[in-house]
Amino acid sequence: DAKTTQPNSMESNEEEPVHLPCNHSTISGTDYIHWYRQLPSQGPEYVIHGLTSNVNNRMASLAIAEDRKSSTLILHRATLRDAAVYYCILNSGGGADGLTFGKGTHLIIQP
Amino acid sequence: DGGITQSPKYLFRKEGQNVTLSCEQNLNHDAMYWYRQDPGQGLRLIYYSQIVNDFQKGDIAEGYSVSREKKESFPLTVTSAQKNPTAFYLCASSIIWEVEQFFGPGTRLTVL
């Protein structure tokens, strides 16, 4: 699977939008972009995924660059419960052969 | 409620002993996975199974073994051949070829 690059940590204030970047310059045409998040001592939780177009769901939005070499996870109004490690993952097999997690971005939310 | 259960939450073993971690799901998912997580690191894939009685090695399968005799169960055995077994172990499942994986709460294994 292609490699992703994320900042080690980011800090934001409660009730403000958060933009979490991910670079994936070696992405292939069949790679989906997945985002998961993990709270301390818990299993990861699926957030969102996309291929080419921007995507929205109840948790977040995913903005994908036109050349697909980068993407941004957008939390529209951060709460304290959004404090977690966020992982950006590429996979071309629908995930059935497992996912490759990097170190992710540790998101800190200030009250 | 549907979901994935892992037991126990915490497990302590002496060095040189084999230990089996349990993973059960009632989501009727075909695919199941085992990941390992070390402090401050991302998850690494140990084994995965896309169908009953079949499984594949992941990136770090050495020192581990699995079985998939039933659709809902995918136990992981950490053998004495695993050099650094102390870690957080996570089980997941998914509908085959669907993107979203559902994770269990994890088992934290400490080898003394």
Side-chain angles (χ1 to χ4, degrees), chain A residues 37-84:
Chain A
R37 70 180 186 182
Q38 186 178 23
L39 277 65
S41 297
Q42 294 187 24
E45 174 188 29
Y46 165 84
V47 178
I48 201 166
H49 78 278
L51 184 62
T52 55
S53 303
N54 295 344
V55 184
N56 299 295
N57 67 18
R58 64 174 179 81
M59 290 181 69
S61 296
L62 177 60
I64 302 172
E66 196 168 332
D67 63 5
R68 298 208 330 124
K69 294 186 177 182
S70 66
S71 60
T72 302
L73 179 71
I74 302 166
L75 306 179
H76 294 286
R77 198 159 172 259
T79 69
L80 295 177
R81 289 179 297 178
D82 292 321

Side-chain angles (χ1 to χ4, degrees), chain B residues 1-75:
Chain B
D1 286 333
I4 300 178
T5 57
Q6 292 185 243
S7 60
K9 189 171 180 64
Y10 298 95
L11 189 55
F12 296 88
R13 280 294 182 271
K14 291 183 179 179
E15 194 172 344
Q17 290 181 333
N18 290 356
V19 59
T20 297
L21 281 58
S22 167
C23 178
E24 304 278 332
Q25 55 97 2
N26 60 5
L27 299 167
N28 200 33
H29 287 168
D30 288 305
M32 296 188 73
Y33 315 84
W34 274 105
Y35 295 89
R36 168 186 171 134
Q37 186 173 34
D38 293 289
Q41 304 297 313
L43 284 66
R44 291 183 290 169
L45 183 66
I46 305 173
Y47 269 98
Y48 65 99
S49 168
Q50 297 177 352
I51 195 169
V52 174
N53 292 322
D54 186 53
F55 46 83
Q56 306 296 327
K57 292 183 179 179
D59 300 321
I60 56 164
E62 186 175 348
Y64 299 98
S65 66
V66 293
S67 63
R68 187 86 187 276
E69 296 176 2
K70 297 186 295 183
K71 186 176 184 178
E72 58 270 23
S73 179
F74 192 40

Side-chain angles (χ1 to χ4, degrees), chain A residues 85-103:
Chain A
V85 178
Y86 286 79
Y87 298 99
C88 171
I89 301 163
L90 303 183
N91 188 279
S92 60
D97 54 350
L99 299 173
T100 300
F101 287 74
K103 293 186 179 180

